[in-house]
Amino acid sequence: MGLLDRALNIGESKRFKEYEKRVARISAFEPELELESDEELRERMDGLRELVRSQPDDKIDATLDQVLPECFAIVREVGRRTMNMRHFDVQLIGGMVLHSGAIAEMKTGEGKTLTGTTAVVLNSLAGRGVHVVTVNDYLAKRDAEWMMPLYEACGVSVGILQNDMHPQDKVDAYKCDVTYGTNSEFGFDYL
């Protein structure tokens, strides 16, 4: 193993230990959240949203990092209740990786669609719009509709871009907290 490989492995090990600590903080919320009603969970999420949006622009990213454990814990509990799907620890770590702006590589069947919900909900708190890019219209529609109960319970609105949509429908989709679509739709709309 070369020097660069060893340095990268040490860096990854350090980062993974930080992720494990965050997973422990997320899991610490679980007993408390299990006792709360759906309305109380929504109120918690609304409180986080209000906290993040009250920050000046230069403090929003730091505030998102600060509220990540509670937000991820709420999303995990909401996923369990609305879809009977509880995020595994590795999926929480995948959400943290996505939130950091990195790529989370997962194999087929490991729950990428559910994994993304943690980062999507967290980043939607800022009110800047979150784009989820899929490879085709079918997956954009399927994934958005599949995760819709979780998003709605968290107070997150969802828009879906599809090929050949009416321009006003696209405008409406972009006004949502999260917009699902393909890279070509986002790209051509930007141009």
Side-chain angles (χ1 to χ4, degrees), residues 33 37-45 77 81:
L33 295 178
S37 69
D38 294 347
E39 294 77 25
E40 288 170 320
L41 292 177
R42 174 66 183 269
E43 287 171 11
R44 269 188 189 253
M45 192 61 75
E77 180 61 22
R81 289 182 189 190

Side-chain angles (χ1 to χ4, degrees), residues 16 19 23 26 68 72-73 75-76 79-80 84-99 104-120 146-147 150:
F16 189 75
Y19 291 152
V23 167
I26 293 165
L68 183 149
F72 275 36
V75 172
R76 178 189 249 183
R80 186 187 66 75
N84 199 28
M85 298 174 78
R86 182 184 176 275
H87 296 74
F88 291 107
D89 291 352
V90 70
Q91 291 171 316
L92 297 175
I93 291 171
M96 289 177 225
V97 170
L98 292 173
H99 170 65
E105 184 178 352
M106 298 174 76
K107 295 178 182 171
T108 300
E110 289 185 329
K112 292 181 285 294
T113 305
L114 184 63
T115 295
T117 60
T118 53
V120 167
W146 187 16
M147 296 296 122
L150 184 153

Side-chain angles (χ1 to χ4, degrees), residues 12-190:
E12 290 299 315
S13 175
K14 242 176 125 175
R15 187 172 299 141
F16 189 75
K17 285 182 183 174
E18 178 58 35
Y19 291 152
E20 285 181 320
K21 288 178 188 175
R22 281 186 176 172
V23 167
R25 283 184 284 192
I26 293 165
S27 295
F29 280 100
E30 199 161 19
E32 177 183 344
L33 295 178
E34 287 175 341
L35 299 175
E36 293 190 4
S37 69
D38 294 347
E39 294 77 25
E40 288 170 320
L41 292 177
R42 174 66 183 269
E43 287 171 11
R44 269 188 189 253
M45 192 61 75
D46 290 343
L48 294 178
R49 187 175 293 108
E50 187 176 312
L51 171 66
V52 171
R53 291 184 186 182
S54 70
Q55 302 301 309
D57 285 345
D58 63 330
K59 303 280 189 221
I60 287 178
D61 290 337
T63 306
L64 287 173
D65 290 339
Q66 188 178 39
V67 301
L68 183 149
E70 184 175 4
C71 179
F72 275 36
I74 295 168
V75 172
R76 178 189 249 183
E77 180 61 22
V78 168
R80 186 187 66 75
R81 289 182 189 190
T82 60
M83 304 173 62
N84 199 28
M85 298 174 78
R86 182 184 176 275
H87 296 74
F88 291 107
D89 291 352
V90 70
Q91 291 171 316
L92 297 175
I93 291 171
M96 289 177 225
V97 170
L98 292 173
H99 170 65
S100 74
I103 295 171
E105 184 178 352
M106 298 174 76
K107 295 178 182 171
T108 300
E110 289 185 329
K112 292 181 285 294
T113 305
L114 184 63
T115 295
T117 60
T118 53
V120 167
V121 172
L122 176 65
N123 285 280
S124 76
L125 296 177
R128 299 185 279 203
V130 177
H131 297 165
V132 178
V133 182
T134 63
V135 296
N136 59 47
D137 280 350
Y138 168 77
L139 288 176
K141 190 173 190 317
R142 182 204 73 178
D143 291 355
E145 290 175 349
W146 187 16
M147 296 296 122
M148 193 93 56
L150 184 153
Y151 290 133
E152 288 177 346
C154 290
V156 175
S157 60
V158 180
I160 305 169
L161 296 179
Q162 297 282 278
N163 191 21
D164 296 328
M165 281 179 79
H166 187 274
Q168 185 57 50
D169 293 335
K170 283 190 172 196
V171 169
D172 294 342
Y174 279 115
K175 287 180 181 177
C176 293
D177 296 313
V178 57
T179 306
Y180 277 75
T182 63
N183 58 347
S184 60
E185 290 299 321
F186 286 117
F188 284 117
D189 290 346
Y190 177 76

